[in-house]
Amino acid sequence: MTTLPTTMTAIEIKEFGGPDGLVPTTRPLPLPGHDDVLVKVAAAGVNRPDVLQRMGGYAPPPGASDIPGLEISGTVAAVGAGVTRFKVGDTLCALVAGGGYAEYCVAPEAQCLDVPAGYDLVRAAAIPETYFTVWTNVFNRGGLKGGETFLVHGGASGIGTTAIQLAKSFGARVFTTASTDAKCREIEALGAERGINYKDEDFVGVVKELTDGRGVDLILDMVGGDYIQRNISALAVEGRLVYIAFLGGAMAEVNFAPVMMKRLTITGSTLRPQSIQAKSEIGSELEEKVWPLLASGSIGPVMDSVFPLKEAAAAHKRIDDSSHIGKIVLEV
């Protein structure tokens, strides 16, 4: 039996603010609870919620680690007494509520998933957070169906590149916004029918033209702010608007008359505070309906860049610049 260390290297938020507030530190090795696995981390995904936490705007849920990082891959190093699916030595990827930027991380067994066939552990770390988020918000909450029209903002992000591929795979027409013409061409290659450069074009007018004036059935938005009213305008009758973030601000003055006239649904969610049971149910659906697509190679995470764990600050500078396309990963 391998003897575990008593301490580990982790990345802590020394002070809230810019990326340089992320610094390597030494922490005690975390211990798995009754239904948890201790993972020797191979890689951890970098996501916008990590940035918000770094800036002091997204505190961990009660009981979660203060170390950032919401998705990991690696090898099981120890298991709690109640663990039945995984054993020491197994490889997996997992959704966690915190603690991913470290050499070891505890994950509830119910939020752990097999690594898709053909995936190495670095690429596997780019799956959980975005696929859980897209599946629950686009398909469960947003109710997207084959034949419908779908607009996702931020199409070059990890969420955007995932949403484009999944929506296309399940038969939707997909439109997306991005900040440059080059990004628009990249995301069209992923399956978007039209990339819209939001700096030069009005996405409302473009989607209306593409849908013969009808508008789109579903919008996934992480911008908010002045997009809120414009999203309402871009929706078709009985359309749905789903929010997962407010990078442009959570407050706006909105005319709700079109919401009534078009019988719209406006909703949203955050993933991190949800229960282990809720996340387990999402994971089960992913393994049934999405994992075969990942294994076949028909969809997959778009990998932007990989940084060593100790260069987490550089990885955050990359995501802050918004120059990336797809996922940024820390390799341990």
Side-chain angles (χ1 to χ4, degrees):
M1 180 177 177
T2 302
T3 302
L4 294 173
T6 58
T7 62
M8 66 176 183
T9 298
I11 303 298
E12 69 178 6
I13 303 171
K14 187 174 182 179
E15 59 182 25
F16 292 129
D20 290 338
L22 295 172
V23 296
T25 188
T26 299
R27 290 285 187 94
L29 192 76
L31 299 175
H34 185 267
D35 298 313
D36 300 330
V37 299
L38 176 66
V39 180
K40 181 175 173 57
V41 178
V46 177
N47 296 285
R48 287 286 179 187
D50 304 340
V51 174
L52 293 176
Q53 181 177 340
R54 185 200 79 210
M55 297 175 69
Y58 195 23
S65 172
D66 66 308
I67 297 168
L70 302 178
E71 58 183 348
I72 58 169
S73 65
T75 305
V76 178
V79 298
V83 170
T84 57
R85 176 177 174 181
F86 295 98
K87 65 182 184 302
V88 173
D90 286 347
T91 57
L92 53 76
C93 57
L95 182 75
V96 293
Y101 292 12
E103 291 180 314
Y104 289 84
C105 180
V106 169
E109 182 187 31
Q111 293 172 205
C112 296
L113 303 170
D114 291 326
V115 174
Y119 275 66
D120 62 30
L121 288 176
V122 172
R123 197 160 186 237
I127 295 173
E129 170 69 11
T130 49
Y131 278 81
F132 272 74
T133 297
V134 169
W135 186 261
T136 187
N137 286 288
V138 173
F139 295 93
N140 291 343
R141 188 166 294 276
L144 185 66
K145 300 177 179 62
E148 290 192 317
T149 49
F150 171 54
L151 170 65
V152 54
H153 291 298
S157 67
I159 292 290
T161 53
T162 300
I164 290 165
Q165 294 178 79
L166 280 175
K168 180 72 173 179
S169 294
F170 285 92
R173 292 178 66 195
V174 185
F175 315 120
T176 183
T177 59
S179 60
T180 68
D181 289 341
K183 285 185 175 182
C184 287
R185 302 297 82 81
E186 291 277 356
I187 53 188
E188 286 172 352
L190 285 176
E193 183 176 324
R194 176 74 148 81
I196 305 164
N197 184 338
Y198 64 79
K199 293 185 176 180
D200 298 330
E201 300 177 283
D202 173 24
F203 71 81
V204 178
V206 173
V207 298
K208 286 289 187 70
E209 180 181 351
L210 293 168
T211 58
D212 298 322
R214 179 178 176 274
V216 293
D217 296 299
L218 176 66
I219 297 175
L220 180 68
D221 187 27
M222 58 197 80
V223 180
D226 64 2
Y227 271 34
I228 297 175
Q229 190 71 62
R230 296 167 68 193
N231 285 330
I232 290 170
S233 298
L235 282 169
V237 172
E238 302 282 1
R240 293 92 66 196
L241 172 56
V242 182
Y243 277 100
I244 56 171
F246 295 102
L247 299 177
M251 305 293 289
E253 184 174 330
V254 179
N255 176 4
F256 272 86
V259 176
M260 298 168 62
M261 297 297 293
K262 294 196 285 185
R263 303 183 296 281
L264 305 180
T265 299
I266 301 176
T267 183
S269 74
T270 55
L271 182 62
R272 193 178 190 183
Q274 292 189 44
S275 68
I276 292 173
Q277 178 61 34
K279 294 172 186 175
S280 174
E281 290 171 2
I282 299 167
S284 295
E285 291 186 20
L286 286 171
E287 286 194 307
E288 176 188 352
K289 298 176 181 178
V290 176
W291 254 231
L293 299 176
L294 291 168
S296 73
S298 61
I299 65 170
V302 175
M303 301 297 289
D304 177 84
S305 49
V306 179
F307 292 81
L309 176 66
K310 291 185 178 181
E311 295 180 17
H316 273 236
K317 288 175 183 176
R318 175 78 178 163
I319 198 171
D320 282 358
D321 289 344
S322 294
S323 56
H324 64 292
I325 297 178
K327 295 287 295 190
I328 300 170
V329 171
L330 298 175
E331 185 173 11
V332 181

